[in-house]
Amino acid sequence: MNEIRITRPDDWHVHLRDGAALAAVLPATARQFARAIVMPNLRPPITTAALAQAYRERILAALPEGANFTPLMTMYLTDNTPVEEIRRARDAGVVALKLYPAGATTNSDAGVSDIRKTYRTLEAMQREGLLLLVHGEVTDPEVDVFDREAVFIDRVMRPLRKDFPELKVVFEHITTLEAAQYVAESDRFTAATLTPQHLLYNRNAIFTGGLRPHYYCLPVLKREQHRLALIQAATSGSNKFFLGTDSAPHASVLKENSVCGAGCYTAMSALELYAEAFEAMGALDKLEGFASFHGPDFYGLPRNTDTVLLRQEKWSLPESVPFGEALIKPLRGGESLGWKFIG
Ligand code: NCD
Ligand code: ZN
């Protein structure tokens, strides 16, 4: 029997939501990961240190008995985030701010309309050592949906890196060859997270035998050449690439709808999905660095010291699970997986 034991991983990008939804999805993340970077795109968004602190308390209160899990809090950067809020954020243990271009994705209406409006705040972040996490897509309606990440690199990322060379920036959930190359060639202040769905699937998955809403997330899946570039980056051993599931739960009724919300729910089988992607490349030996070392090293946090076991064993993910009053369908729900997280 094939087994691998790795240092316990962390999830460097997850959506835990709030209320009944939080209670429904948090146990899955806390079962596999020691820590997670919690996205701030609630309604209303987490825009202040006080809101982040209160959200952390709600997460801790929703944890199952005996869970050993630390939420790492983020704040939502807006055109108006006051410079003074950065010091308060640091004192409250907030580790990063998230840049959503206004209108780019789920609950991003409060996002940044022009990055130059945030420059004084970014300066304070660079000074205080807070990271900037970037949803890297332009929202210009003239730009094709599949090109929005590549265009973002030239229009926003390059000028930003030039103006704030020592601000640590994570290019979140990258989906293209262009982004993988950009990050690989950048200096030690730039890194990227990679989701399981972008390592396993290309855009055909959204259209196989009909429209498949559970494969729709943002940034949207791209062509096979891009998937190949991403899995090569993830398995290269480069410390600039690390695990961030972007597990983004939406009730099934809102996915299987005339307007389908963006997001794949992967928390229930996150490590299994990554193991499948790494195994297909013959690179299971690179999984630990990607899942457990590169993230904390980039964030300047200690690595975890306990371990988890993954076993090669066929099992079936439930078709759907309760999500408050509703149901949620995990990515690959009702299908079998070849790896199993043992714990
Ligand atoms: C995320 C969500 O649902 O909050 N959706 C997604 O497709 N990834 C938002 C985001 O991270 O873009
Ligand atoms: Zn996300």
Side-chain angles (χ1 to χ4, degrees):
M1 191 185 307
N2 204 356
E3 292 185 339
I4 48 169
R5 183 171 285 284
I6 61 169
T7 301
R8 183 175 293 276
D10 304 301
D11 186 350
W12 298 95
H13 183 130
V14 72
H15 300 266
L16 295 179
R17 312 302 192 208
D18 212 347
L22 167 65
V25 301
L26 178 63
T29 291
R31 186 172 80 97
Q32 298 203 341
F33 299 104
R35 297 169 289 194
I37 286 282
V38 182
M39 287 296 131
N41 62 330
L42 303 183
R43 261 190 204 286
I46 302 294
T47 49
T48 66
L51 286 170
Q53 255 171 327
Y55 185 29
R56 172 173 31 222
E57 293 307 316
R58 296 198 296 282
I59 295 168
L60 293 174
L63 274 173
E65 189 78 22
N68 192 357
F69 173 77
T70 306
L72 301 171
M73 305 313 291
T74 65
M75 264 164 52
Y76 194 113
L77 182 69
T78 73
D79 286 350
N80 311 310
T81 306
V83 173
E84 311 80 63
E85 198 60 28
I86 298 307
R87 173 66 63 87
R88 285 194 282 272
R90 195 206 58 186
D91 292 346
V94 169
V95 296
L97 275 82
K98 178 75 188 277
L99 164 66
Y100 287 106
T105 185
T106 314
N107 300 350
S108 66
D109 334 335
V112 169
S113 66
D114 178 351
I115 183 117
R116 275 162 303 197
K117 293 191 176 159
T118 69
Y119 263 32
R120 289 189 55 233
T121 309
L122 296 181
E123 232 164 66
M125 288 168 57
Q126 182 172 253
R127 194 170 57 240
E128 302 287 351
L130 269 76
L131 284 79
L132 180 69
L133 315 181
V134 177
H135 183 111
E137 289 191 289
V138 295
T139 51
D140 181 347
E142 307 271 292
V143 178
D144 189 278
V145 167
F146 291 93
D147 298 333
R148 287 182 182 178
E149 185 174 282
V151 171
F152 184 90
I153 298 172
D154 290 323
R155 288 200 194 162
V156 184
M157 221 37 174
R158 290 187 199 282
L160 175 73
R161 294 288 38 189
K162 212 162 126 266
D163 293 336
F164 300 97
E166 301 205 348
L167 177 65
K168 281 193 202 171
V169 174
V170 184
F171 201 154
E172 296 289 338
H173 43 52
I174 60 169
T175 64
T176 57
L177 169 75
E178 288 86 348
Q181 253 167 15
Y182 172 78
V183 171
E185 287 163 9
S186 60
D187 66 19
R188 68 192 171 87
F189 292 98
T190 308
T193 52
L194 288 156
T195 78
Q197 66 268 24
H198 293 100
L199 297 181
L200 285 168
Y201 303 110
N202 63 41
R203 65 191 191 180
N204 287 351
I206 309 169
F207 306 104
T208 305
L211 192 58
R212 298 195 175 240
H214 297 282
Y215 287 87
Y216 173 63
C217 67
L218 284 171
V220 71
L221 295 171
K222 305 294 192 298
R223 284 177 182 275
E224 178 65 2
Q225 72 191 86
H226 296 289
R227 187 191 72 84
L228 286 171
L230 300 174
I231 187 67
Q232 271 153 17
T235 59
S236 66
S238 162
N239 62 5
K240 303 176 125 297
F241 299 99
F242 46 86
L243 185 158
T245 61
D246 195 18
S247 180
H250 294 264
S252 302
V253 288
L254 298 177
K255 293 289 289 178
E256 298 161 9
N257 190 21
S258 60
V259 177
C260 158
C264 300
Y265 179 50
T266 53
M268 293 176 63
S269 59
L271 268 184
E272 290 93 331
L273 294 170
Y274 282 111
E276 183 178 317
F278 275 63
E279 188 192 21
M281 295 293 282
L284 278 172
D285 60 317
K286 298 292 197 308
L287 183 61
E288 185 176 43
F290 174 81
S292 314
F293 297 158
H294 304 163
D297 293 355
F298 188 76
Y299 273 78
L301 293 167
R303 294 176 177 182
N304 297 317
T305 50
D306 59 333
T307 63
V308 298
L309 187 69
L310 278 162
R311 183 177 295 155
Q312 200 155 33
E313 178 184 322
K314 220 167 144 178
W315 65 289
S316 287
L317 201 53
E319 178 89 33
S320 55
V321 292
F323 185 62
E325 308 267 273
L327 288 173
I328 185 165
K329 184 167 178 182
L331 191 76
R332 292 268 284 271
E335 295 175 40
S336 69
L337 294 167
W339 285 91
K340 188 165 190 193
F341 178 88
I342 306 296

